[in-house]
Amino acid sequence: MTPTVHGAEYAQLVAFVAVAEQAGFSRAAETLGVTPSALSQTIRALEERLGVQLLNRTTRSVATTPAGAALLERLRPAMAEIGDAVSGAARAGGRIAGTVRVHAARVAAERRVLPMLPAFHAAHPDVVIDLTADDAVVDPVAGGFDLAIRPGEVVEKDMIAVRLGGEHRQMPVATPGFIARHGRPETPEALTDFDCIRWRWRGRSLPYDWEFHRADGWFAVSVEGPLILDDRRLMLDACLAGIGIAFLTDEEAGTFLADGRLVAMLEPWCAPYPGFFLCYPRQRRMPPAMRAFIDALRAASVIV
């Protein structure tokens, strides 16, 4: 008898596509809102119903068998068509629903995303924004994210990238007390004689070298100091505590520069650079909830 697809069987196919695309049960279970054990049982029931093994499982990875790969290839366009049909029905009724998973650098999450969320939620109460605020550079697709907001220097070339806001500057800053005790550097190279608070991209082993600009172009200075952090908010807090000089953006340090708690240094060498970009993979059809989120950023005059 030829297998047919009823309600429970369709749910099994959805589960299989999720596990195959995420290459693992934990991440797929999170996406579907179920437990990994329940998802494993669902896949096992599908394999028993079809009489063929669809996934090879090890303690570290999950991969499709040849039969599973063939099934996935045929299911993807079918699932996309069903999703389009459901989205079209929702649009016809004037309702947009769904979850948009966003990975954003912490500053971008605070300054770009959070301010526009109240108006967005009022306009689209059925859309959930699942926001991860993290300075790590991750592969949005592999991480299961729809969108990423990150500095332009770490945007993948094969992704669509839309600039958010204007230019920024990074500059060395310190408290007036630190400057009174230790003086201030006269050139970027002189920073090597001062205690500096270094920052490291999450997932990378070496601290970030501080970048400056002069007539012949950009150059980097490898600073030293008593503290290395992977959290920019902690770097700001450590600087405010007088531990050393930090290299902060005008957006991060602006309030504290204005009220005198921090002092900027070496400004002639601190040229502007492109700020944050909204990036996402190229796709044939964009989910309505994702499009609504992007449009809301545009309406808030964040995208320029």
Side-chain angles (χ1 to χ4, degrees):
M1 179 181 295
T2 301
T4 57
V5 178
H6 301 291
E9 286 80 3
Y10 177 75
Q12 291 173 351
L13 295 176
V14 171
F16 165 69
V17 171
V19 174
E21 290 187 336
Q22 299 289 346
F25 283 90
S26 297
R27 191 176 296 159
E30 182 180 351
T31 301
L32 296 173
V34 299
T35 65
S37 60
L39 188 56
S40 179
Q41 293 175 7
T42 298
I43 298 300
R44 190 175 298 111
L46 174 63
E47 290 176 325
E48 291 175 355
R49 183 171 69 87
L50 298 181
V52 64
Q53 184 175 344
L54 300 173
L55 298 171
N56 286 320
R57 307 162 177 82
T58 69
T59 56
R60 295 186 178 182
S61 65
V62 175
T64 55
T65 64
L71 178 61
L72 179 64
E73 184 177 358
R74 298 192 66 179
L75 283 178
R76 275 175 170 155
M79 294 293 186
E81 289 298 330
I82 292 172
D84 288 345
V86 173
S87 297
R91 287 194 300 270
R95 175 178 172 269
I96 296 177
T99 298
V100 182
R101 297 196 65 200
V102 182
H103 185 280
R106 290 183 180 275
V107 174
E110 294 173 359
R111 303 297 180 90
R112 297 288 183 268
V113 180
L114 292 182
M116 53 79 66
L117 284 183
F120 179 80
H121 178 65
H124 304 287
D126 297 316
V127 176
V128 176
I129 303 301
D130 185 344
L131 176 63
T132 297
D134 184 9
D135 290 325
V137 180
V138 302
D139 180 341
V141 176
F145 296 100
D146 300 302
L147 304 166
I149 302 175
R150 58 180 53 167
E153 63 191 278
V154 289
V155 173
E156 290 88 347
K157 290 183 172 57
D158 61 346
M159 300 193 76
I160 296 174
V162 185
R163 189 169 170 179
L164 297 179
E167 294 180 325
H168 292 287
R169 290 202 304 162
Q170 285 192 110
M171 62 194 79
V173 299
T175 62
F178 180 91
I179 294 173
R181 293 191 303 273
H182 303 285
R184 65 169 70 203
E186 297 300 322
T187 66
E189 290 82 359
L191 283 164
T192 56
D193 296 327
F194 289 80
D195 283 341
C196 295
I197 303 166
R198 292 178 286 173
W199 175 72
R200 173 172 46 80
W201 290 98
R202 290 189 180 182
R204 298 189 181 181
S205 58
L206 298 176
Y208 167 75
D209 287 340
W210 295 8
E211 296 177 285
F212 298 93
H213 192 273
R214 57 191 170 205
D216 58 350
W218 290 91
F219 64 100
V221 175
S222 180
V223 299
E224 299 293 336
L227 186 60
I228 300 173
L229 298 167
D230 68 353
D231 187 304
R232 297 188 66 84
R233 175 63 67 84
L234 288 177
M235 182 171 62
L236 171 61
D237 291 341
C239 184
L240 289 169
I243 293 175
I245 300 172
F247 200 48
L248 297 172
T249 67
D250 46 8
E251 197 166 37
E252 292 169 316
T255 299
F256 306 99
L257 293 171
D259 65 18
R261 281 182 282 175
L262 291 177
V263 177
M265 298 171 283
L266 303 175
E267 291 186 82
W269 285 272
C270 301
Y273 67 94
F276 289 102
F277 285 75
L278 170 69
C279 54
Y280 52 92
R282 300 181 184 276
Q283 49 195 295
R284 185 168 61 94
R285 291 184 177 91
M286 181 178 292
M290 181 174 164
R291 169 52 62 193
F293 180 74
I294 294 174
D295 289 345
L297 286 174
R298 192 184 302 277
S301 299
V302 175
I303 296 179
V304 298

